[in-house]
Amino acid sequence: MSDAATLTETPQQADRAVTIYEKSVPGRRAAQLPPSGVEETPIDELIPSHLLRGEPAELPEVSEPEIIRHYNRISRRNFDLDTGFYPLGSCTMKYNPRLNERVAALPGHARLHPATDPADAQGALELMYLLQESLSEICGLPTVSLQPSAGSQGELAGLLLSRAYHKDKGRNPGKVLTPDTAHGTNPASVSMAGYEVVKVATNETGGVDMDDLRSKIDDDVACLMLTNPNTLGVFDENIAEMASLVHEAGGLLYYDGANLNAIMGQARPGDMGFDIVHVNLHKSFSQPHGGGGPGAGPIAVSDRVEPYIPRPQVVMAEREGWDQFFDLDYDRPKSIGRMRGFQGNFGVFVRSYAYILSLGGDGLSEASRLAVLNANYLKHRLSEGRAGKYLPVAFDRHCMHEFVLSGAPMKKELGVKTLDLAKRLLDFGFHPPTVYFPLLVDEALMIEPVETEAKEHLDAFADAIEKILEEAESDPEIAINAPYTTPVRRLDEVGATRRPVIRQPK
Amino acid sequence: MSDAATLTETPQQADRAVTIYEKSVPGRRAAQLPPSGVEETPIDELIPSHLLRGEPAELPEVSEPEIIRHYNRISRRNFDLDTGFYPLGSCTMKYNPRLNERVAALPGHARLHPATDPADAQGALELMYLLQESLSEICGLPTVSLQPSAGSQGELAGLLLSRAYHKDKGRNPGKVLTPDTAHGTNPASVSMAGYEVVKVATNETGGVDMDDLRSKIDDDVACLMLTNPNTLGVFDENIAEMASLVHEAGGLLYYDGANLNAIMGQARPGDMGFDIVHVNLHKSFSQPHGGGGPGAGPIAVSDRVEPYIPRPQVVMAEREGWDQFFDLDYDRPKSIGRMRGFQGNFGVFVRSYAYILSLGGDGLSEASRLAVLNANYLKHRLSEGRAGKYLPVAFDRHCMHEFVLSGAPMKKELGVKTLDLAKRLLDFGFHPPTVYFPLLVDEALMIEPVETEAKEHLDAFADAIEKILEEAESDPEIAINAPYTTPVRRLDEVGATRRPVIRQPK
Amino acid sequence: MAGYTPATRDDQVAMLAAIGIDSIDELFAQIPEAIKLGRPLDLEDGLSESEVYKRLASLAEWNQDAEEIPSFLGAGMYDHYVPAIVDAITSRSEFLTPYTPYQPEVSQGGLQVMFEFQTAMSELTGLPVSNAGLYEGPSAAASAAYLAMSATGRTGLVASRGVHPHSRETLATHAVGFGAELTEVPLVDGLTEAKALEAAIDDTTAAVFLQNPNFLGSVEDIERLGEFATSKGALLIVAVDPMTLGILKPPGECGADIAFGEGQPLGNRLDFGGPSFGFFCAKQEHIRRMPGRIAGETTDVDGRRGFVLTLQTREQHIRREKATSNICTAQALNALGALVHLSWLGKQGFVELGELLVRRTAYARKTISGLDGFELLHDAPVVREFAVRSDRPVEEVIHMTPDPSQPGPHIPVYPLGRDYPEYEDSFLVAITENRSVEDIDELAHVLQHGQAGWGEFIHDHDENGNAVGENGLVGATQGGRS
Amino acid sequence: MAGYTPATRDDQVAMLAAIGIDSIDELFAQIPEAIKLGRPLDLEDGLSESEVYKRLASLAEWNQDAEEIPSFLGAGMYDHYVPAIVDAITSRSEFLTPYTPYQPEVSQGGLQVMFEFQTAMSELTGLPVSNAGLYEGPSAAASAAYLAMSATGRTGLVASRGVHPHSRETLATHAVGFGAELTEVPLVDGLTEAKALEAAIDDTTAAVFLQNPNFLGSVEDIERLGEFATSKGALLIVAVDPMTLGILKPPGECGADIAFGEGQPLGNRLDFGGPSFGFFCAKQEHIRRMPGRIAGETTDVDGRRGFVLTLQTREQHIRREKATSNICTAQALNALGALVHLSWLGKQGFVELGELLVRRTAYARKTISGLDGFELLHDAPVVREFAVRSDRPVEEVIHMTPDPSQPGPHIPVYPLGRDYPEYEDSFLVAITENRSVEDIDELAHVLQHGQAGWGEFIHDHDENGNAVGENGLVGATQGGRS
Ligand SMILES: Cc1ncc(COP(=O)(O)O)c(C=O)c1O
Ligand SMILES: Cc1ncc(COP(=O)(O)O)c(C=O)c1O
C-alpha cells in the first residue's frame, strides 16, 4: 500500500488474486526430466499421427521458485484448523496429529503399488485387517469393509447392501425412511440407490416423531437411515424401539456414523440393533480434511448383511509356511461388487489406525466424553447474556458433541441474520459454525467444539458472540457488512452462478 | 478487530505477541512417553539426592494442538524467501530446492549416528568425499576440509592454518591485512586467531589501493584476507599481483568465498594464487538460511597448507575386500586439530551436494552468469529516474553479483535516511537490501538479486523504490514513519539494550 | 494415550460446575442404560508417539515398495516421480487442515486451487467444463453414467472390455441402484472390436464407455469408435490416463461428451491405491448436471477478484434427493498435488514426459518381447504400458525366489488372469520416468533367467543409483539393503 | 540442469539490451583473462530431480542408520525420538528460508522463537542469561574460554578428562589462537580426580571445564569440584547434556559461571553429526561478554510488544576486531527444533523422560555388566550412558558378521580406545527412550554370543515393532529389511 496515512485495506486485501496461469511466461519451466536413454525415435513413428495431440495443453510456464511462492501465498488466504477455533457442526474438526502424516509417508506405505502381490504387501494388509477389527469393536458390528471413499460412498454402499439383502430374500421394497434432520448426502444416496425417500418428522425433544415413524413403516420399507446423535446433537432414546419396529417390518437399519465422535466407548450402533454403519475416518479418526478431502467411509455390518459387502475384502487366511497370512478375498459370490478401484483410501487407513493406536480404547472413550463436555459447556456459555436472548438453543436439553442454536430472534429483533453473525465472526478470528443446517431449525447455527479445543477457546468464542451482539444492538450494519479484515470481503455468489467462469479464460 | 468502520491496524498488528509460556496451563501436556518397562526404582536410590534437581524447569505446559497453532501463527510474522524478493546483499538469498530437504531427511542420512564405524557409514563418507572433490574443482584448490560450521569458523580455521604454516616454517608473523570493505567476521576472526588486523584502503574503482597495500606488506604479514568480488560487488583486477606481492613477502592468501556465487565456473581462487578459501554452503550452494543458520563453511586449501587442515579428514583408503573404502583420517600429525565436534554439518553437505548434482558444472556456471546479469540489470534500472538521482551507485562500473548504492543524496535532499527507505520497502512487500554496509559507503544499500529471481521482480523492486522516492519528495514523513503494515512497526532497540529483557520473566 | 486433549482436571471441574452437574456421566444419561456399552472398549491402551511410529514402521517393512525394488506395476496407478515441492506445499497446515470452503472469504486459497485445477484438467482433456475432482477413477465412471442417464433419459450402458476392470465392476455395482443395464464389448488384437461395439449400441443406450489407452495399454481410435455412440444419440464417455494427454489427442477433440480418469499419476503417491482423485470433464451443455464441487470466479463487495463454490444447486446439501451426485467430502488435497505437479512439469515438460514414456516403453516392449518364451499379446500402438504373453505359467515366471516354496517376492508386473481369463497367460508391464533403461534390462534379465538368473546379476552399487544390486530387483531376492 | 533460474532467452536479451551490452561475457570482462577458467568445470552435467533422488537414496542405503538397527551410540549425540510436530514446524518456509532477523518488523516469528528458546535454556541450566545458540557443543567450549579469558584477564585453561574429547581437542585448537594453555586433569573410578583438579588450578587459571554427566556417563559432584575453581577466581564452566537436566541439579545451582552443551538431543536429528546447535548460558555479570545472537523484548512506536536482536555491540558486524565472538550465521533452525521438542515434552514430560532414562539405563547397565566377559568400567552413578569393560578385544566384540573378513556391520556401541588409550578395553553404551527393553536384551544377547549367537535369535516381526528379526540388530546381520 502506498498511502501511509490511513489503512484503506489490509495488506492481504491489497494483494489481489493472481492465478498461476497469469504468472506464466513463455519458455519458463521448473521440471527437468531424465534423458530417455534410448533412441529418440519420432513419436509419430511409434503412434499414428491421427491419434496424436496437435497443440500442447496450456499448462503454466513457471520456475520452481515461483511455484512455491504462488502456493504458499494463496495458502495464507485460507483459515485452517491450525490457525484457530473451527467449530463447524457435523464436521468434527479435531486436531490432525503430525505423527499420522509421518507414518503415512513411510515408503513402505506411500510407494506401495495397490496391485502388489499380497505376499509382498503383508504389512499393508495386516494394517487394514487390524483397522477392520478396531472399527468392528468400536461399532459393535462383526464385519467391516474399508472400501468406501467417504461417508457418502459408505451410505450408497450401505443402501446397495440393503438392495442385495432384500433381493436375496426375494423382496423388493422401494422406500427408505430418513428423518427431516438428515444430512444432504442421505437423501441423495437414497436416490442413487434407486430408492424413494420418505421423510420422518422430528418431535419436540429433537428426536424422531415415533407416531409419524410408525405410520410410515410398512413392508415397502427397505431401510431406516438414521444419524445418532442426530444433526441436532441429540441422542434419540427411542433408538432401540425404532430398530425393532423396522426389523419387524422386515427392513434394515442404517446408522449414519458421521457423529460417532459423541459416543466412542459409550454406546455402539450394533448394540442399538443397527445393521449397517458408516464411519467418517476424516471426522472421528483425525484424518486431515485437506480443504475437502481426502477421507474414508468404512462400513461396519451385521452378520445378516455380511454376505453382500464389497469386494475384495481383507481376510486372515491359511497359507502354508506362514503363521498368519493376510489376503484379499475376491471370492464373495453375493457381494455387491466394487464401489471403487483397488482397496480403498489406504493412506487414510494408516493415519486413522495410528490415531487409534495413539489413543487406545481408553483414549477414544475419553475423547468422546470430553467432546460432549466441551459442547455442553459452550452451550451453557451461549445460554447466558445476549446469546441466550438472541440465539436460543433449538432443543433445550443436554446435548452430545454438538448443538444447534436458532438465529431467528436475532434476525427479528436486530435485523442481523445468522449469515451476518457468521461473517462477523471471521473478523474475530473464528471459523463460523455450520449455518442454515439442519433445515428444520430457522436460521440455524450448528456448533461442534471438539475435544481437542481448550476451554479458553470456547470462552473466547462465546465472548466474541456476546461482543458481536452488543455491537449489533447499537449498529446492526456492522455485522450486516462484515467481514472487513478477511483476504476478500463478501463475494457475489449469485453473479458467479449466473455467468459461470470456472476456468482461466484462454 | 471490533471497530468495523475503519481499519486502525492490520489483523496481524491487532493480534499481539503472546509467548508459549503465557499460553501455559498447569497440568496441560503434549508428550506421552513409553513406559520404562523396568522397575520403577526411586531415582534417589540410583543417583545421590544432593546431585538431583529440586524444582522442575519451568517449561511450557501446553497441548500439542496449541503448539502447532502457536508456532504456525508466529511463523506468519516472518518475511521469508518463499514470500518474495529478498535482495539482502552479501547473503545470496537463492531459492532453496525442496528436493534437498527430501534427500537430507532420508533415514540413512538423518538417523545416522556420527560415531558409526566407517565401514557402516560408507554412503555418508562417500558423499562427503564427492562434495570435497566438487568444491576442490570449483575453487581450483587440491584439498577441501568440510569441517567448519559456517563462514566465520572457516575464516578462523584458515587463520589458524596460517599460524600452523608459519610456525612450521619457523616464522611467527603477527599481522593480517584486510581491506576496509571486509565483512565483520574477517577482523573478528583475525583477533580470535591472535593476529593484529591491519586495514588496507580501497581505491577509486572499488578495488584494493595497491600503494597502500605495498606500503603495508612486510615480513610481519602472515596473511592477506580478501573477499573477491568484494563487498562492493567489484572484482579486483589486481588480484594476481596482490597474490604475488604477499607470497614474495612470505605471507599466505586467504580468500573469503562468501561471494563465490559471482564466479562459479568463471574463475577460481586457486588460479588467482590463493592458498585458503572458505565457501558458504548456505549461500552459493542453496542451503536454506533457517532464520540464521544452519550453514557450513568448508575450506579449500593449496598443497602448501594441506598438512595442517583440521582432523579428521575424509579420504579414500585401501581396504581389502573393498574396491573403494572411504575412511576418516585422524593420523595427521601437523593438523591444527578440531574446530568442532564430529565431522561437520553433514545435513548441509547432503543438501549442497544435491544442489551441485542438480545443476552440474554447466548449471553452476550458468547460475553465476545469470546472477551477474540480474545484478547489472537491476543496477541499470536503479540508475534511472529518481533512484539515479537520490541513490547513486557507489562505484559506477559493471558489477558482479551485487552492487552498492549510497543514500547520502536522499538523506541530504529529502531528509530520508537509508534506514527509512528500507523500512518503507517493507510496506511494498520487499525485504530490504543490506543497509549501512560496507562501512566505507555513506548510507549504504547493498543489493544482491540472485539468479533465481525473475526479471519482473527486479522491475517491481525498482518501481517500488521510484514510488517511495516520489512519495518522499512530496512528504518525507511517509518514509520516516514507515513501516505501517508489518506485524509490528518500528521497534525501540535502544530501550531493549538499556534494560535487556532476554527471557520470559519468572 | 496421546495428549491431544487439553482439558485438565481443573478445566473439567470448572466446566462441570458451569453446566451445573457433577460428572460427565450425567451428560450421557440421555443414552438408555440398555444400550450403553458399560465396559471399556476391547482395544489396546494408548501408545506413545515413538511406540506407534515403531509399530507402523515395522509393519511397513513387510511391504515390498517401489523405493526398495523398481516396480513395473501399472493398471491405472503408476510409480511416477512426485517432485519434493508437491509435499512441501500439500503438507502446509493451510492446505492440509481446513474443510470444504463453505466460508469463501477465508477459503480463497483452496478455492483458487480448485479454479486452477479445473483449468488444468480442462486443458488436458480438451473439454470446457471440469469439476474440482471426485474420489478416484472407477467411481467417476459411475458418476458419468448417472449424468448420462439423466441427460438422455435412457438406461443402457455399453462398455468396451478395454475399460479398466475396476471401472466396469464399479459401473455394474452402481447400475443396480441406477436401474441401468451394462453391456460389454470384446477386444481383438488389443483394441475394442468396432463391429461388436456398433452392434451393442441402440436407441436405449445412454452412454458408451471407452478407455484410452485401454487396459492393455493400446491407443484406441476414439474418434472413429465414438461415432457409433454419438450417431445413436448416446453420450461418448472416455476414461483417460492423464499422463498420456501430452501425447494423445484429447478426448474433447475426439467428440467425447465426458472424459474422466484416475488422477493418481499426477502428483499423487501410490499409497497402496488411495487416496488419489478422479477428474471429470464435460461439454458445456452438461455443466448443470456435473457431479461434485466446482469453483467459479467472482468479485467481492469492494470489487476485488475472488472465488466461490458455484452451481451449488446441483449438490446434495441443497438439492438433497434430487442432487446430481451424493458426493460431499472429495479429494481436494490430492487435486492440489496434481496441480502442483502439473505446474512443475509445465507446458513443455508435460509433453516431454509423454515422449519419454513412449520411447522408453517402445524399448522395453522390444526388449521383453524379444526374450525367448515371451511375445507380445498384441502389437497395437502403446504409450506407457504393454501386454506380454509367456510360454511358462505367469505365476511361475513372476515368482522370484530361488526357493519356490517361499511365498515371495514376486516380479512386480501385472498378471492379466484374474481380470481377463482369456489372457491368463499374459501380464502387463508399465513404464514411468522412474524406470531407467537399467531397470528395464534387469527386468528382462530376471524374466529370462528367473530364479536361476539372479545369482549372476549382483552389482556393486552404481553411481547412477539405479536399481541394481543393493536395492534392485535382484537385490530384493537377497534381502534388499545390506 | 535444474530449473531454478527463471531467465528465458527473451528475458536475457531484454536485460542485456537495457544494460546496453550484447552478451553476458562483457560483464565478466573485469576478470583478467589470465585468471579466467576458460573451460567448463570438470563436474558431471546436471541431473533431473528423480535422478538426484535415486543417486542419493542409493548412497544412503550404504549407511547403517538407527532406523534400520537400534543404535546404542552416544558420546554426545543420541537417537532420541524427534516428534513429528518438530518437522512440521521447522519445515515451514516461514522458518526455513529467511536469514538472520536484521529487519525486526518482518522477523517477529524468528525473534520470538529466540526469546522463547533463551528462556527454555535459562530454565534448564538455572542461569539467567542465554544466547540464541552457537554452532554445536565443542566450539561452544572455545567461546566459553574466550569469554573467561577476557573476563579474568588470565590465560590458563583447566579441563577434566571427563570433558568430551572433541571439546578438549577444540579447546586446544583455539587455544593456539587465543594464546591460552590447556591443562588436563585425569579421572579415577569414572570421576574427575579432585586432588589433581585442585592442584591444577592457580591464579593464572581463567577457567575450569567440567562435564556432567562426564564422557564416561558419570554424574560428577560439580558443586564440590567447582569450589576449587571459584576459590581461585577462575570461572567455572560446565558442559551439560541437556536431556539430563530434568533430573540433575542445574549448573546454575552448582555455582557455574557458564553452562554450555551440545543441543542435538533436543529436537535435532543425528544427521551424522550436524547440523545441531550449541547452547550457552551464563551469570548476569557476563551478559555483555556473551557470544552470538541474543533476542530481547521491546515495544514498537504504537506500544505493541515486539522482539529485536539486542546487545549487538558485542557482535562482529558492529565491533569487528573487538567483538566477543566472530560468529554470524548460527543454528537458528536447530534451536527452533529444540524449542518445539521442549514444548512438546513440557514441564512434566521433560522430568519423566529423565526418569525413564535413568531407570532403563540402570537396567541395561545391570544386564550387560552381568554378562560373563564383561564388567563395569566404573560404578559411579549414571543417567543415560555407561562404560563397560570387555575381556575380549573391543574390536572383536563389536564385529557382528559371521564372517570376520567382512568389514561390518558393527554393534553400535562406542569404543573408548581412540579417545582414551587408558580404556582401550572398554566401550560406552547409550540409552534413549527409543531403546526398548527388548532392544537392550538383544544387545546383551549379541554381545554375549557375538557372531555365533545371531542365528538363534531370529524372530518373526513382533506386534510391538520392536527391533528384532526384521529390522533388529540381528536382522541387520542378515541384511536389514527384506
Ligand atoms: C451427518 C453426516 N452424514 C454424512 C456426511 C457425509 O460424509 P462425507 O462428507 O464423508 O461424504 C456428513 C459429512 O459431510 C455428515 O455430517
Ligand atoms: C563477505 C562475507 N564474509 C563472511 C561471512 C560470514 O559467513 P557466516 O555467516 O557463514 O559465518 C559472510 C556472511 O555472513 C559474508 O557475507
Side-chain angles (χ1 to χ4, degrees), chain B residues 90 150-152 155 183 185 227 256 258 278 280 282-283, chain D residues 99 328-329:
Chain B
S90 203
S152 80
E155 295 169 17
H183 187 268
T185 51
T227 310
D256 177 334
H278 88 253
N280 302 66
H282 45 298
K283 294 179 179 179
Chain D
Y99 208 173
C328 178
T329 300

Side-chain angles (χ1 to χ4, degrees), chain A residues 89-91 149-155 181-186 227 229-231 256-259 278-280 282-283 295-297 402 437 446, chain C residues 99-100 102 135 293 316 326-330:
Chain A
S90 202
C91 296
S149 309
S152 80
Q153 200 177 60
E155 294 169 19
T181 54
H183 187 268
T185 51
N186 292 189
T227 310
N230 65 18
T231 58
D256 178 334
N259 293 345
H278 87 253
V279 178
N280 303 66
H282 45 298
K283 293 179 179 177
E402 66 188 351
F437 181 78
M446 185 189 206
Chain C
Y99 210 175
T100 311
Y102 295 119
Y135 296 132
R293 315 277 182 200
Q316 45 76 25
N326 65 336
I327 195 167
C328 178
T329 300

Side-chain angles (χ1 to χ4, degrees), chain A residues 440-463:
Chain A
L440 86 164
V441 176
D442 190 16
E443 294 286 315
L445 278 148
M446 185 189 206
I447 304 175
E448 182 181 11
V450 297
E451 72 276 7
T452 55
E453 293 293 341
K455 176 173 177 295
E456 55 267 29
H457 298 309
L458 310 184
D459 289 328
F461 179 76
D463 295 343

